[in-house]
Amino acid sequence: MKKLIISTALAVTLGLNVNAQVVISNDFGKPVGSADDLNSDVNWSWNDDYHRPGLSNIYEDDYDYNDSFFYAGLSWYNNKSVNVFGLNAGYLKWNGFGGDFNWAFDVEFKALQDFNLSGNYSLGLWRTGSSMGMLTFALGPSYRIYKTDGDKTEGKVDIVADPRIVIRANKILVTLGTQLRFKELHFTKAYTDKPVFHFGLAYCF
């Protein structure tokens, strides 16, 4: 009886030992898969965004230079006889036509008021992602209201030319230029005022 029990215990122990070796061999002795199999199970599509054509230009200009833009702001004219301020508005286009409206006046609205409506053409000088520079030429009629020496008010129609440098930085527009006035629609020297320097600051839409 003792021999049977001992023989049975040895047989069970030997069987367990052999089975453990098989399990260890199956789990660690045989590779689970190759590197290609591992990569095939992973979705790497998110990485394709770095290689798609055209994404290198994702940082585009802040505005489209081919479209005209509107502006509105304030201006100051270096008139020797009286300080003249103004409101200016209009639209400009890179290498294209636009329009201007200006209303100039003295501080007390007594000596001078001038309403100017002009067409313009802008020639592009430089541009970056957030700034641009243009040379703008404007020409149009002006209705001028002023007081004479006898304290009377008169109104005249003139022609005004306005060449200026225009600098835009994001939404801010700065203008530096000169205003040439041809009085009463005459282009002779006798009817031409001296150039008046002006400075403008505006917001772009």
Side-chain angles (χ1 to χ4, degrees), residues 65-69 91-98 120-124 132 134 136:
Y65 295 100
N66 294 322
D67 292 339
S68 58
F69 60 90
Y91 64 98
L92 299 168
K93 185 175 182 179
W94 177 271
N95 288 335
F97 291 95
N120 66 52
Y121 182 84
S122 296
L123 179 65
M132 66 189 300
M134 299 186 297
T136 301

Side-chain angles (χ1 to χ4, degrees), residues 9 12 29 35 53 60 76 89 92 115-116 122 140 144 160 165-166 184-185 198:
V12 172
E60 298 178 353
W76 171 76
L92 299 168
F115 301 90
N116 183 11
S122 296
R144 173 172 48 98
V160 171
I165 295 291
V166 177
E184 302 177 29
L185 308 181
H198 69 85

